């Protein structure tokens, strides 16, 4: 069974640009969550989607947004990039909503110059 | 408070030793406590998890001890091996309909097991 797939794995952007990251969950999983991982702040929750609806949102500015499609695939977008947005963005899927049993992808490493 | 405090930040043990990683939480509404293991270049992987109605859970060489009154839980790795060298994260979730699968993570512990 294929795991969570994230694309692209690495990308470099400059300040002010925007970026879109993609996540394909494990087949059959309907919930997709996004986390930001940095050395200073650790793992921080961005948002969670279930059945194409955003169910939860973390404490991030509105520049961070996401969506989920009918096939459960998800994208997140960061607009007007800042240097502090450099991080590993992790997508996780779970079979059900309201479970802590998350299966993470390998992440998309974003560098903002 | 929704924080989860984890210690130590780093830990070095010899092969066969029993590293212990500790976590503490404040919010008694948390009701699910997983541990994740992360290797360099990989995403975190669920290792073992416990709920507050259980004081201990074992899975292979990994054991969670849970102290509800102290609001603390810990991970023990028996007979540690060099392949266990990784970063370990404790986490907590509310398990409520409104909270979904949202996890609050500890700061992480970088474990090194020397041969």
């Amino acid at each position: 069974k294929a795991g969570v797939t994230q694309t692209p794995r690495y990308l470099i952007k400059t300040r002010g640009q925007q970026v879109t990251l993609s996540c394909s969950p494990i087949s059959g999983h309907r919930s997709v969550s996004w986390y930001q991982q940095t050395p200073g702040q650790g793992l921080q929750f961005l948002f969670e989607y279930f059945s194409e609806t955003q169910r939860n949102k973390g404490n991030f500015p509105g520049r961070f947004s996401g969506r989920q499609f009918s096939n459960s695939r998800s994208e997140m977008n960061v607009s007007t990039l800042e240097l502090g947005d450099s991080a590993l963005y992790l997508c996780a899927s779970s079979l059900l909503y309201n479970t802590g049993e998350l299966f993470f992808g390998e992440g998309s490493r974003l560098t903002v110059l | 408070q929704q924080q989860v405090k984890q210690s130590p930040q780093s830990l070095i043990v010899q092969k066969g030793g029993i590293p212990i990683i500790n976590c503490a939480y404040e919010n008694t509404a948390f009701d699910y406590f997983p541990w994740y293991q992360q290797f360099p270049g990989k995403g975190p992987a669920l290792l073992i998890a416990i709920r507050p109605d259980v004081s201990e859970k074992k899975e292979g060489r990994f054991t969670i001890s849970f102290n509800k009154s102290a609001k603390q839980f810990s991970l023990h790795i028996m007979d540690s091996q060099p392949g266990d060298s990784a970063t370990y994260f404790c986490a907590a979730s509310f398990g409520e309909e409104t909270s979904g699968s949202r996890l609050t993570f500890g700061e992480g512990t970088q474990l090194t097991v020397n041969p």
Side-chain angles (χ1 to χ4, degrees), chain A residues 37 43 90 102 104-105, chain B residues 6 21 34-48 61-62 75 77 81-91 105 108-109 111 113:
Chain A
Q37 185 173 25
L43 281 154
L90 292 160
L102 303 184
F104 284 87
Chain B
Q6 183 173 346
I21 305 171
W35 285 89
Y36 282 80
Q37 177 190 56
Q38 185 177 28
F39 292 104
K42 301 293 185 181
L46 180 61
L47 199 58
I48 185 172
R61 295 184 295 107
F62 300 93
L75 177 70
I77 305 176
Q81 301 297 313
D84 295 330
S85 297
T87 301
Y88 292 80
F89 294 92
C90 62
F105 283 91
T109 296
L111 172 67
V113 181

Short mmCIF file of all heavy atoms in Angstrom, two decimals, chain A residues 37 43 90 102 104-105, chain B residues 6 21 34-48 61-62 75 77 81-91 105 108-109 111 113:
data_model
loop_
_atom_site.label_atom_id
_atom_site.label_comp_id
_atom_site.label_asym_id
_atom_site.label_seq_id
_atom_site.Cartn_x
_atom_site.Cartn_y
_atom_site.Cartn_z
N GLN A 37 7.38 22.09 10.15
CA GLN A 37 8.45 21.69 11.06
C GLN A 37 9.66 22.58 10.86
O GLN A 37 10.20 22.67 9.75
CB GLN A 37 8.84 20.23 10.84
CG GLN A 37 9.86 19.73 11.87
CD GLN A 37 10.14 18.24 11.78
OE1 GLN A 37 9.97 17.62 10.73
NE2 GLN A 37 10.55 17.65 12.88
N LEU A 43 7.24 21.00 15.53
CA LEU A 43 6.12 20.60 14.68
C LEU A 43 4.89 21.39 15.09
O LEU A 43 4.41 21.29 16.21
CB LEU A 43 5.85 19.10 14.84
CG LEU A 43 6.77 18.16 14.10
CD1 LEU A 43 6.84 16.81 14.79
CD2 LEU A 43 6.28 17.99 12.66
N LEU A 90 4.95 19.13 6.25
CA LEU A 90 4.57 17.73 6.32
C LEU A 90 3.07 17.56 6.16
O LEU A 90 2.29 18.28 6.79
CB LEU A 90 5.00 17.13 7.66
CG LEU A 90 6.51 16.99 7.88
CD1 LEU A 90 6.82 16.88 9.36
CD2 LEU A 90 7.03 15.77 7.14
N LEU A 102 -1.81 9.40 12.81
CA LEU A 102 -1.48 10.05 11.56
C LEU A 102 -0.35 9.33 10.85
O LEU A 102 0.59 8.85 11.49
CB LEU A 102 -1.08 11.51 11.82
CG LEU A 102 -2.10 12.38 12.54
CD1 LEU A 102 -1.60 13.81 12.64
CD2 LEU A 102 -3.44 12.34 11.84
N PHE A 104 2.48 10.18 8.15
CA PHE A 104 3.13 11.34 7.55
C PHE A 104 3.84 10.99 6.25
O PHE A 104 4.39 9.89 6.09
CB PHE A 104 4.16 11.94 8.51
CG PHE A 104 3.56 12.75 9.62
CD1 PHE A 104 3.16 12.13 10.80
CD2 PHE A 104 3.41 14.13 9.49
CE1 PHE A 104 2.61 12.88 11.84
CE2 PHE A 104 2.88 14.87 10.53
CZ PHE A 104 2.47 14.24 11.70
N GLY A 105 3.87 11.96 5.35
CA GLY A 105 4.72 11.88 4.18
C GLY A 105 6.13 12.32 4.54
O GLY A 105 6.41 12.63 5.71
N GLN B 6 8.65 18.39 26.63
CA GLN B 6 9.42 17.15 26.46
C GLN B 6 10.85 17.33 26.91
O GLN B 6 11.46 18.38 26.68
CB GLN B 6 9.38 16.74 24.98
CG GLN B 6 10.07 15.43 24.66
CD GLN B 6 9.84 14.99 23.22
OE1 GLN B 6 8.98 15.52 22.52
NE2 GLN B 6 10.61 14.01 22.77
N ILE B 21 12.49 8.95 27.82
CA ILE B 21 12.12 10.29 27.39
C ILE B 21 10.82 10.67 28.09
O ILE B 21 9.88 9.87 28.12
CB ILE B 21 11.94 10.35 25.86
CG1 ILE B 21 13.20 9.86 25.15
CG2 ILE B 21 11.60 11.78 25.42
CD1 ILE B 21 13.04 9.67 23.65
N PRO B 34 0.25 9.87 21.63
CA PRO B 34 1.11 9.04 20.78
C PRO B 34 2.57 9.48 20.85
O PRO B 34 2.88 10.61 21.24
CB PRO B 34 0.55 9.32 19.38
CG PRO B 34 0.05 10.72 19.46
CD PRO B 34 -0.39 10.95 20.89
N TRP B 35 3.43 8.57 20.48
CA TRP B 35 4.85 8.87 20.29
C TRP B 35 5.19 8.63 18.82
O TRP B 35 4.78 7.63 18.24
CB TRP B 35 5.72 7.96 21.17
CG TRP B 35 5.71 8.34 22.61
CD1 TRP B 35 4.84 7.93 23.57
CD2 TRP B 35 6.64 9.22 23.27
NE1 TRP B 35 5.16 8.49 24.77
CE2 TRP B 35 6.26 9.29 24.63
CE3 TRP B 35 7.77 9.95 22.85
CZ2 TRP B 35 6.96 10.05 25.57
CZ3 TRP B 35 8.46 10.70 23.78
CH2 TRP B 35 8.06 10.75 25.12
N TYR B 36 5.96 9.56 18.28
CA TYR B 36 6.40 9.44 16.89
C TYR B 36 7.92 9.39 16.83
O TYR B 36 8.61 10.01 17.63
CB TYR B 36 5.89 10.64 16.07
CG TYR B 36 4.43 10.53 15.69
CD1 TYR B 36 3.43 10.86 16.59
CD2 TYR B 36 4.06 10.08 14.43
CE1 TYR B 36 2.09 10.73 16.25
CE2 TYR B 36 2.73 9.96 14.07
CZ TYR B 36 1.75 10.29 14.99
OH TYR B 36 0.42 10.17 14.63
N GLN B 37 8.40 8.64 15.85
CA GLN B 37 9.84 8.48 15.62
C GLN B 37 10.16 9.07 14.25
O GLN B 37 9.46 8.79 13.28
CB GLN B 37 10.19 6.99 15.65
CG GLN B 37 11.64 6.64 15.37
CD GLN B 37 11.80 5.13 15.19
OE1 GLN B 37 11.14 4.51 14.36
NE2 GLN B 37 12.68 4.53 15.98
N GLN B 38 11.20 9.88 14.20
CA GLN B 38 11.56 10.50 12.93
C GLN B 38 13.04 10.31 12.63
O GLN B 38 13.90 10.70 13.42
CB GLN B 38 11.22 12.00 12.93
CG GLN B 38 11.44 12.69 11.59
CD GLN B 38 11.03 14.15 11.59
OE1 GLN B 38 11.05 14.82 12.62
NE2 GLN B 38 10.62 14.67 10.44
N PHE B 39 13.31 9.74 11.45
CA PHE B 39 14.67 9.61 10.98
C PHE B 39 14.98 10.78 10.04
O PHE B 39 14.06 11.35 9.43
CB PHE B 39 14.86 8.29 10.24
CG PHE B 39 14.77 7.08 11.14
CD1 PHE B 39 13.64 6.28 11.14
CD2 PHE B 39 15.82 6.75 11.99
CE1 PHE B 39 13.55 5.17 11.97
CE2 PHE B 39 15.73 5.65 12.82
CZ PHE B 39 14.59 4.87 12.82
N PRO B 40 16.25 11.14 9.91
CA PRO B 40 16.62 12.26 9.04
C PRO B 40 16.08 12.07 7.62
O PRO B 40 16.20 10.98 7.04
CB PRO B 40 18.15 12.23 9.05
CG PRO B 40 18.49 11.61 10.36
CD PRO B 40 17.43 10.59 10.61
N GLY B 41 15.46 13.11 7.09
CA GLY B 41 14.94 13.05 5.73
C GLY B 41 13.61 12.34 5.59
O GLY B 41 13.10 12.18 4.47
N LYS B 42 13.05 11.91 6.70
CA LYS B 42 11.78 11.20 6.68
C LYS B 42 10.74 11.94 7.51
O LYS B 42 11.07 12.80 8.33
CB LYS B 42 11.95 9.79 7.25
CG LYS B 42 12.96 8.93 6.50
CD LYS B 42 12.50 8.60 5.11
CE LYS B 42 13.46 7.64 4.42
NZ LYS B 42 13.03 7.32 3.03
N GLY B 43 9.48 11.62 7.27
CA GLY B 43 8.43 12.17 8.12
C GLY B 43 8.31 11.36 9.40
O GLY B 43 8.79 10.23 9.48
N PRO B 44 7.68 11.92 10.43
CA PRO B 44 7.47 11.17 11.67
C PRO B 44 6.61 9.93 11.41
O PRO B 44 5.72 9.95 10.57
CB PRO B 44 6.72 12.17 12.55
CG PRO B 44 7.00 13.51 11.95
CD PRO B 44 7.13 13.28 10.49
N ALA B 45 6.91 8.88 12.16
CA ALA B 45 6.15 7.63 12.06
C ALA B 45 5.62 7.26 13.43
O ALA B 45 6.35 7.32 14.43
CB ALA B 45 7.03 6.52 11.50
N LEU B 46 4.35 6.90 13.48
CA LEU B 46 3.72 6.52 14.75
C LEU B 46 4.40 5.28 15.31
O LEU B 46 4.54 4.26 14.63
CB LEU B 46 2.24 6.26 14.53
CG LEU B 46 1.43 5.84 15.76
CD1 LEU B 46 1.46 6.93 16.83
CD2 LEU B 46 0.00 5.50 15.36
N LEU B 47 4.79 5.39 16.58
CA LEU B 47 5.52 4.30 17.24
C LEU B 47 4.61 3.52 18.16
O LEU B 47 4.47 2.31 18.09
CB LEU B 47 6.67 4.92 18.03
CG LEU B 47 7.85 4.08 18.46
CD1 LEU B 47 8.52 3.44 17.27
CD2 LEU B 47 8.84 4.98 19.22
N ILE B 48 3.96 4.23 19.05
CA ILE B 48 3.12 3.63 20.08
C ILE B 48 2.26 4.74 20.66
O ILE B 48 2.65 5.91 20.62
CB ILE B 48 4.00 2.96 21.17
CG1 ILE B 48 3.16 2.21 22.20
CG2 ILE B 48 4.90 3.99 21.84
CD1 ILE B 48 4.01 1.39 23.19
N ARG B 61 9.94 -3.53 22.01
CA ARG B 61 10.91 -2.97 22.95
C ARG B 61 10.49 -1.60 23.48
O ARG B 61 11.21 -0.99 24.28
CB ARG B 61 12.28 -2.87 22.27
CG ARG B 61 12.88 -4.23 21.90
CD ARG B 61 14.29 -4.11 21.30
NE ARG B 61 14.28 -3.42 20.02
CZ ARG B 61 14.72 -2.18 19.84
NH1 ARG B 61 15.19 -1.48 20.85
NH2 ARG B 61 14.70 -1.64 18.63
N PHE B 62 9.36 -1.10 23.03
CA PHE B 62 8.91 0.24 23.41
C PHE B 62 7.78 0.16 24.44
O PHE B 62 6.84 -0.60 24.28
CB PHE B 62 8.43 1.00 22.17
CG PHE B 62 9.49 1.17 21.12
CD1 PHE B 62 9.61 0.25 20.09
CD2 PHE B 62 10.38 2.22 21.17
CE1 PHE B 62 10.61 0.38 19.13
CE2 PHE B 62 11.37 2.38 20.21
CZ PHE B 62 11.49 1.45 19.19
N LEU B 75 8.46 7.51 27.54
CA LEU B 75 8.78 6.42 26.61
C LEU B 75 10.06 5.75 27.08
O LEU B 75 11.06 6.43 27.33
CB LEU B 75 8.96 6.97 25.19
CG LEU B 75 9.37 5.96 24.13
CD1 LEU B 75 8.23 4.99 23.83
CD2 LEU B 75 9.81 6.68 22.85
N ILE B 77 12.79 2.69 25.97
CA ILE B 77 13.21 1.81 24.88
C ILE B 77 14.13 0.75 25.47
O ILE B 77 15.26 1.04 25.88
CB ILE B 77 13.93 2.59 23.77
CG1 ILE B 77 13.06 3.75 23.27
CG2 ILE B 77 14.27 1.65 22.60
CD1 ILE B 77 13.74 4.64 22.23
N GLN B 81 19.14 -0.16 20.39
CA GLN B 81 20.04 -0.53 19.29
C GLN B 81 20.46 0.72 18.51
O GLN B 81 19.72 1.71 18.51
CB GLN B 81 19.34 -1.50 18.36
CG GLN B 81 18.87 -2.78 19.01
CD GLN B 81 20.03 -3.62 19.54
OE1 GLN B 81 21.02 -3.83 18.84
NE2 GLN B 81 19.92 -4.07 20.78
N PRO B 82 21.60 0.67 17.82
CA PRO B 82 22.01 1.83 17.02
C PRO B 82 20.94 2.26 16.02
O PRO B 82 20.80 3.45 15.73
CB PRO B 82 23.28 1.33 16.32
CG PRO B 82 23.85 0.34 17.28
CD PRO B 82 22.66 -0.35 17.88
N GLY B 83 20.16 1.32 15.53
CA GLY B 83 19.07 1.64 14.59
C GLY B 83 17.94 2.43 15.21
O GLY B 83 17.08 2.95 14.50
N ASP B 84 17.94 2.54 16.54
CA ASP B 84 16.93 3.34 17.23
C ASP B 84 17.31 4.82 17.25
O ASP B 84 16.51 5.66 17.69
CB ASP B 84 16.76 2.86 18.67
CG ASP B 84 16.22 1.45 18.77
OD1 ASP B 84 15.46 1.04 17.88
OD2 ASP B 84 16.57 0.75 19.75
N SER B 85 18.51 5.12 16.80
CA SER B 85 18.97 6.52 16.78
C SER B 85 18.06 7.33 15.86
O SER B 85 17.98 7.07 14.65
CB SER B 85 20.42 6.61 16.31
OG SER B 85 21.28 5.94 17.21
N ALA B 86 17.39 8.28 16.43
CA ALA B 86 16.37 9.06 15.71
C ALA B 86 15.91 10.18 16.64
O ALA B 86 16.35 10.29 17.77
CB ALA B 86 15.19 8.18 15.33
N THR B 87 14.99 11.00 16.13
CA THR B 87 14.35 12.01 16.97
C THR B 87 12.97 11.49 17.36
O THR B 87 12.22 11.01 16.50
CB THR B 87 14.23 13.35 16.23
OG1 THR B 87 15.54 13.80 15.86
CG2 THR B 87 13.59 14.40 17.14
N TYR B 88 12.67 11.59 18.63
CA TYR B 88 11.40 11.10 19.15
C TYR B 88 10.54 12.28 19.62
O TYR B 88 11.03 13.18 20.30
CB TYR B 88 11.64 10.13 20.31
CG TYR B 88 12.29 8.84 19.84
CD1 TYR B 88 13.67 8.78 19.60
CD2 TYR B 88 11.54 7.71 19.58
CE1 TYR B 88 14.27 7.62 19.14
CE2 TYR B 88 12.13 6.53 19.12
CZ TYR B 88 13.49 6.51 18.90
OH TYR B 88 14.08 5.36 18.43
N PHE B 89 9.29 12.23 19.22
CA PHE B 89 8.34 13.28 19.62
C PHE B 89 7.18 12.67 20.39
O PHE B 89 6.57 11.68 19.93
CB PHE B 89 7.76 13.98 18.38
CG PHE B 89 8.75 14.77 17.58
CD1 PHE B 89 9.42 14.19 16.51
CD2 PHE B 89 9.01 16.10 17.88
CE1 PHE B 89 10.33 14.92 15.75
CE2 PHE B 89 9.92 16.84 17.14
CZ PHE B 89 10.58 16.24 16.07
N CYS B 90 6.86 13.25 21.52
CA CYS B 90 5.60 12.91 22.16
C CYS B 90 4.55 13.88 21.63
O CYS B 90 4.88 14.94 21.08
CB CYS B 90 5.70 13.00 23.68
SG CYS B 90 6.08 14.64 24.34
N ALA B 91 3.30 13.52 21.78
CA ALA B 91 2.22 14.36 21.29
C ALA B 91 0.97 14.09 22.09
O ALA B 91 0.89 13.13 22.86
CB ALA B 91 1.98 14.11 19.79
N PHE B 105 2.56 18.68 19.59
CA PHE B 105 3.80 17.93 19.74
C PHE B 105 4.71 18.53 20.80
O PHE B 105 4.73 19.75 21.02
CB PHE B 105 4.57 17.92 18.42
CG PHE B 105 4.03 16.95 17.40
CD1 PHE B 105 3.09 17.36 16.48
CD2 PHE B 105 4.49 15.64 17.35
CE1 PHE B 105 2.59 16.47 15.53
CE2 PHE B 105 4.01 14.74 16.42
CZ PHE B 105 3.05 15.16 15.50
N GLY B 108 10.71 17.45 20.98
CA GLY B 108 11.54 16.42 20.37
C GLY B 108 12.78 16.08 21.18
O GLY B 108 13.34 16.94 21.87
N THR B 109 13.20 14.83 21.11
CA THR B 109 14.42 14.35 21.76
C THR B 109 15.26 13.62 20.72
O THR B 109 14.79 12.68 20.09
CB THR B 109 14.11 13.38 22.91
OG1 THR B 109 13.38 14.08 23.92
CG2 THR B 109 15.39 12.80 23.50
N LEU B 111 17.85 11.10 20.02
CA LEU B 111 18.46 9.95 20.67
C LEU B 111 19.59 9.39 19.82
O LEU B 111 19.41 9.16 18.63
CB LEU B 111 17.43 8.86 20.92
CG LEU B 111 17.97 7.51 21.42
CD1 LEU B 111 18.55 7.67 22.82
CD2 LEU B 111 16.88 6.45 21.40
N VAL B 113 22.21 6.12 19.93
CA VAL B 113 22.59 4.87 20.56
C VAL B 113 23.93 4.45 19.98
O VAL B 113 24.03 4.12 18.79
CB VAL B 113 21.54 3.77 20.34
CG1 VAL B 113 21.97 2.49 21.06
CG2 VAL B 113 20.17 4.23 20.82
#
